[in-house]
Amino acid sequence: MRFTLNGSDIDVDAHPMRRLLDVLREECSLTGTKEGCGEGECGACTVLINGESAVSCLVPFAQVEGQSVETIEGANAHELQQAFMDHVGAQCGICTPGMILAALALGPNPTREQMQVALAGNLCRCTGYEAIFRAIRAAKRPSPKRSAAEPTEAAS
């Protein structure tokens, strides 16, 4: 099955009903995407599919055919990763890749409410969320890519 993974077009031979999480970890050797609960409740396995966050443990591999998938290994998240370290937004690290990818989907300068909504599906048992929110606010990052047909916040 062909799809774009971290900016590169690839072809992976895997059963279409395998979980995307397993394909990424086992077939693509990208172990940054973590399995927490395996039930879509914790967000540790969050990836971006066409720029939108998704829990990869619930996504059948067939669903990403022809789509763009971004994992923590391919994310242009250096500023956000550094901010997580600087503001102690990461402790044990299990939730961190998923938190970072969910935060990337927010774009620059999110409000507290936007952060709370975007991270509602990402559980952290170590840091609490204040350090994570501080890290997201502190990070400088570009706006997510939008199609010409997609309305911007200013147009809404």
Side-chain angles (χ1 to χ4, degrees):
M1 192 167 333
R2 291 196 61 74
F3 68 107
T4 302
L5 179 60
N6 295 329
S8 297
D9 292 332
I10 64 167
D11 193 0
V12 176
D13 184 23
H15 192 281
M17 292 309 293
R18 282 193 70 201
R19 300 181 311 168
L20 176 59
L21 170 65
D22 297 326
V23 173
L24 292 172
R25 292 182 60 82
E26 296 168 15
E27 310 306 323
C28 302
S29 300
L30 297 175
T31 57
T33 304
K34 306 297 183 203
E35 179 165 8
C37 67
E39 298 176 354
E41 297 292 327
C42 74
C45 66
T46 298
V47 297
L48 299 180
I49 300 175
N50 297 329
E52 299 288 327
S53 63
V55 286
S56 63
C57 70
L58 296 183
V59 176
F61 180 50
Q63 194 169 330
V64 301
E65 184 172 20
Q67 306 300 309
S68 176
V69 176
E70 190 171 7
T71 68
I72 193 67
E73 290 91 347
N76 185 11
H78 303 296
E79 294 285 337
L80 192 51
Q81 289 170 317
Q82 186 63 50
F84 265 66
M85 293 186 325
D86 293 346
H87 295 274
V88 196
Q91 286 184 19
C92 81
I94 295 297
C95 73
T96 306
M99 290 280 187
I100 288 172
L101 286 164
L104 277 177
L106 283 169
N109 306 314
T111 65
R112 182 179 180 86
E113 182 179 350
Q114 289 170 322
M115 289 186 283
Q116 288 172 321
V117 169
L119 299 180
N122 294 72
L123 299 178
C124 177
R125 301 282 188 231
C126 299
T127 65
Y129 292 85
E130 287 306 315
I132 292 167
F133 294 156
R134 278 194 311 271
I136 293 169
R137 276 192 300 269
K140 293 175 178 54
R141 54 195 186 282
S143 297
K145 295 175 187 161
R146 298 186 185 279
S147 68
E150 189 177 347
T152 62
E153 191 173 324
S156 301

